[in-house]
């Protein structure tokens, strides 16, 4: 069943229109990938869901209810969490303390669910080893794990991930993406924004391609061809490598 959907979503930065009527949906336990070149509007799309852009209520629906423009805290309370571009951790604080802030916030917002510090440690064992390390001293991959862990501790029904592979080594990317099936297994819906097309395809059930604020391709990840993606990605006949 559809958990989150957008309907003719438009978003602007002042005079500049970044999204032109975007329709995307994700079901319980499903992973969809949102791909597209730099500047296509992927982060803006996620920001629109999280209440960070001025959008009309009916443009974003959770369980069919219009919730567009709901403030970020309230979205987290309703079960939508984001792993933001650039991770945004609390520097000068340990891994554990970063995660405890997230747990306190979840408590305050009344979110309950299956994610605990212990379970996160099973998902990403390095977070237990580095529990007392200040986050700025972690590798990029380890920081990303903290950022994902923080989002999971809000017990999301929908998890939004903004380019979680950016700047990481292939081995680390595999480790991080290997966590997605377990996250989905309990019904969490996932939207991953990803620039790596192959990775997006292998990690998702369906793909949406954005080009200059419009969806140019939608389909089952297993059925979409490289040629279709190339056309949708660039609006021309470039190859995808
Ligand atoms: N704060 C902002 N002010 C004005 N324009 C912005 C702002 N953030 C993004 N944009 C513009 O909106 C478009 C979409 O950006 P973004 O959603 O960040 O793309 P993506 O995440 O796909 O790289 C781009 O043209 C970008 O320059
Ligand atoms: Mg972006």
């Amino acid at each position: 069943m559809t958990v989150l959907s957008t309907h003719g979503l438009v978003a602007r930065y002042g005079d500049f229109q970044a999204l032109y009527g975007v329709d995307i949906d994700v079901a319980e336990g499903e992973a969809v990938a949102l791909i597209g070149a730099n500047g296509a509007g992927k982060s803006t799309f996620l920001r629109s869901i999280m209440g960070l852009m001025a959008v009309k209520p009916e443009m974003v629906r959770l369980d069919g209810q219009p919730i567009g423009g709901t403030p970020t805290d309230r979205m987290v309370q309703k079960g939508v969490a984001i792993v933001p571009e650039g991770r945004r951790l609390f520097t000068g604080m340990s891994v554990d303390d970063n995660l405890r802030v997230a747990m306190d916030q979840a408590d305050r917002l009344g979110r309950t669910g299956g994610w605990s510090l212990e379970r996160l440690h099973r998902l990403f064992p390095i977070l237990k080893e580095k529990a007392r390390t200040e986050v700025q001293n972690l590798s990029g991959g380890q920081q990303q794990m903290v950022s994902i862990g923080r989002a999971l501790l809000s017990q999301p029904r929908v998890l939004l991930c903004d380019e979680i592979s950016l700047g990481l080594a292939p081995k680390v990317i595999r480790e991080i993406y290997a966590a997605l099936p377990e996250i989905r297994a309990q019904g969490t819906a996932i939207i991953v924004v990803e620039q790596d097309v192959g990775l997006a395809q292998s990690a998702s059930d369906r793909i949406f391609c954005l080009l200059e604020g419009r969806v140019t391709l939608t389909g089952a990840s297993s059925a979409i061809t490289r040629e279709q993606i190339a056309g949708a990605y660039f609006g021309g006949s470039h190859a995808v490598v």
Side-chain angles (χ1 to χ4, degrees), residues 43 85 162-163:
S43 296
E85 210 170 12
D162 200 348
E163 302 212 36

Side-chain angles (χ1 to χ4, degrees), residues 4 7 30 53 58 65 68 94 114 119 121 160 188 227:
L4 185 94
H7 305 265
E30 186 187 31
M53 304 291 296
E58 60 270 21
Q65 300 300 311
S94 69
R119 184 157 169 218
H121 288 163
L160 312 176
T188 300
E227 290 69 28

Side-chain angles (χ1 to χ4, degrees), residues 133-163:
T133 304
E134 292 190 357
V135 290
Q136 72 275 13
N137 298 324
L138 298 175
S139 70
Q142 292 161 356
Q143 288 179 359
Q144 197 59 273
M145 290 172 195
V146 177
S147 186
I148 294 167
R150 186 174 58 178
L152 291 177
L153 288 170
S154 74
Q155 319 294 346
R157 297 180 58 219
V158 182
L159 180 67
L160 312 176
C161 299
D162 200 348
E163 302 212 36

